[in-house]
Amino acid sequence: MKIQTDVNLKPYNSFGISQSAAHFAEVENLEDLKQALSYGEEHFLSVHILGQGSNTLFIQDYPGLLIHMACLGIERFEDSGIVKAACGENWHQFVEYCLKNNLHGIENLALIPGTIGAAPIQNIGAYGVELEQLVLGVEVFNRETATVEVLSREQCEFSYRDSIFKSGAKNKYVVLSLALQLNASPVVHTDYAALKQQLTGVEEPGPRDVFEAVCSIRQTKLPDPSALGNAGSFFKNPLISQDKFSSLSSEYPDIPCFDSGEEGLLKVPAAWFIEKAGWKGRRKGDAGVHEQHALVLVNYGEASGEDILLLAQDISNSVLQSFGIALQPEVNFV
Ligand SMILES: Cc1cc2nc3c(=O)[nH]c(=O)nc-3n(C[C@H](O)[C@H](O)[C@H](O)COP(=O)(O)OP(=O)(O)OC[C@H]3O[C@@H](n4cnc5c(N)ncnc54)[C@H](O)[C@@H]3O)c2cc1C
């Protein structure tokens, strides 16, 4: 494993931001990871772990060691529905693999960009399914003890776009692989409104129908990062109390809300606040808010990470002033 220096990160983030990493390592196995971490320690470098950079905004040149996780391999455990994938595998290709191999329950998460290793970090979710529903265990390298451990779903403390990896144990673990408990017999989740609508007319939809419906919705609704730099939803959907929701809905009767799964809290689309505050389609230089999707910030070409960050801060401030709601970023700033 070779440590490179002064590496341009443009190919390593879906915003297409041109910052650089002072030190860069491509890690293909556990030995590589250990060597890279030792190099970081010996040179007193801060370390950042990177998948495909589709939930990452580089706001400056990274002065430390950036470790790009590229470990590959998928293992299926006979007919149990259990499947294990290494951290560097592409998430969508893994979903396709599962579909082809009659492993079901994961189709709603098709076309989410990124790697297996990043999926548990923010507990990825879409169209009515969250990763936590499928997780059997997460194999990690514990940077404090230099040992490999397997964390159970409970130990990961998953919640909406959150986990122990982002909170209590931030920077403690490097995810090596993910084991999922899928279904060997067909199972589908079609309750999500947009998905239900897309499947209108399909009698008894099967896993492939769900997979294709999800891909089709995503391809028509979301900008393709290879054509227009973005990181999907920039902010999390705020979870608000019933009282706060009642006071907002008396002023804005059209405010939408969903069950948050957390007691006493309702989920309101962050896009609604952003659009209502007048940001949809606005642009500041090459940093902009997507014309169809108020939640997606985009790089029209030469925006810097700082340009995107400043735009995000302006949006947050304006939503706070107008509605008393503090938006939390979903994207990681490096
Ligand atoms: C167009 C678009 C649509 C999207 N739609 C969705 C969606 O529907 N639902 C959703 O949940 N997300 C969505 N996202 C966000 C993104 O796809 C996910 O967060 C994805 O899991 C990021 O994977 P990545 O490998 O690119 O992560 P990166 O951006 O590389 O990293 C994200 C975080 O994970 C950490 N990390 C990465 N790999 C490891 C590892 N092996 N060990 C420890 N930490 C690690 C990083 O340090 C960072 O904190 C979307 C993004 C885009 C661009």
Side-chain angles (χ1 to χ4, degrees):
M1 193 241 358
K2 203 171 128 231
I3 305 282
Q4 301 170 61
T5 50
D6 202 19
V7 170
N8 186 340
L9 297 174
K10 193 166 179 165
Y12 296 98
N13 72 101
S14 62
F15 264 117
I17 300 284
S18 225
Q19 300 286 1
S20 64
H23 307 259
F24 183 96
E26 179 107 342
V27 158
E28 292 178 0
N29 51 48
L30 182 58
E31 266 324 296
D32 284 356
L33 178 64
K34 287 179 179 169
Q35 274 181 36
L37 290 170
S38 300
Y39 176 91
E41 265 174 38
E42 281 157 23
H43 294 81
F44 305 102
L45 299 172
S46 58
V47 167
H48 180 76
I49 306 292
L50 186 73
Q52 285 170 2
S54 49
N55 201 21
T56 295
L57 179 65
F58 291 114
I59 52 177
Q60 58 187 353
D61 288 336
Y62 189 64
L65 169 65
L66 208 135
I67 299 184
H68 180 227
M69 298 303 290
C71 314
L72 298 178
I74 299 179
E75 211 179 332
R76 183 186 175 174
F77 295 88
E78 297 184 348
D79 293 330
S80 62
I82 297 171
V83 59
K84 184 175 154 191
C87 60
E89 289 286 344
N90 175 274
W91 176 265
H92 177 68
Q93 285 168 10
F94 172 67
V95 175
E96 283 180 321
Y97 167 92
C98 293
L99 190 64
K100 276 192 203 123
N101 287 278
N102 297 319
L103 293 161
H104 303 301
I106 196 173
E107 299 79 8
N108 301 51
L109 302 181
L111 271 191
I112 296 182
T115 55
I116 289 282
I121 308 298
Q122 73 151 1
N123 181 23
I124 58 168
Y127 300 97
V129 172
E130 308 278 305
L131 181 78
E132 64 176 300
Q133 295 162 238
L134 312 171
V135 169
L136 192 61
V138 181
E139 185 187 31
V140 293
F141 182 74
N142 181 331
R143 288 174 61 187
E144 288 170 6
T145 58
T147 52
V148 173
E149 298 170 18
V150 177
L151 305 182
S152 67
R153 177 183 11 201
E154 290 69 30
Q155 285 174 305
C156 293
E157 295 177 13
F158 291 120
S159 61
Y160 168 61
R161 298 296 166 274
D162 208 356
S163 70
I164 194 167
F165 306 109
K166 285 181 84 173
S167 48
K170 197 167 162 57
N171 298 328
K172 180 173 172 184
Y173 299 117
V174 180
V175 174
L176 299 174
S177 72
L178 181 62
L180 301 183
Q181 174 68 70
L182 301 178
N183 272 285
S185 41
V187 55
V188 290
H189 305 279
T190 56
D191 285 345
Y192 196 86
L195 188 53
K196 213 181 241 177
Q197 198 187 348
Q198 183 75 18
L199 288 165
T200 310
V202 182
E203 256 178 59
E204 293 189 28
R208 179 156 291 281
D209 298 312
V210 173
F211 173 85
E212 282 169 6
V214 168
C215 291
S216 163
I217 302 173
R218 293 188 76 102
Q219 277 159 345
T220 44
K221 279 179 75 176
L222 287 168
D224 174 0
S226 64
L228 186 61
N230 76 89
S233 304
F234 196 91
F235 299 101
K236 294 186 193 181
N237 291 317
L239 306 186
I240 65 178
S241 68
Q242 184 66 57
D243 284 353
K244 178 71 185 169
F245 182 76
S246 301
S247 91
L248 282 168
S249 64
S250 61
E251 201 173 340
Y252 305 98
D254 63 330
I255 186 171
C257 82
F258 302 95
D259 179 19
S260 72
E262 293 188 31
E263 214 182 306
L265 295 175
L266 294 167
K267 191 189 277 183
V268 177
W272 184 87
F273 291 111
I274 298 169
E275 188 171 348
K276 230 18 184 199
W279 286 96
K280 193 173 177 182
R282 271 174 72 178
R283 188 171 164 164
K284 288 191 164 187
D286 268 356
V289 182
H290 193 253
E291 285 173 357
Q292 272 96 48
H293 253 285
L295 196 49
V296 179
L297 302 196
V298 294
N299 174 9
Y300 281 105
E302 298 300 322
S304 66
E306 205 185 352
D307 295 335
I308 305 273
L309 180 65
L310 290 173
L311 175 65
Q313 284 168 345
D314 285 349
I315 293 171
S316 295
N317 291 339
S318 126
V319 167
L320 185 61
Q321 266 180 9
S322 305
F323 307 102
I325 294 289
L327 292 178
Q328 303 295 329
E330 184 178 311
V331 169
N332 301 282
F333 304 142
V334 177

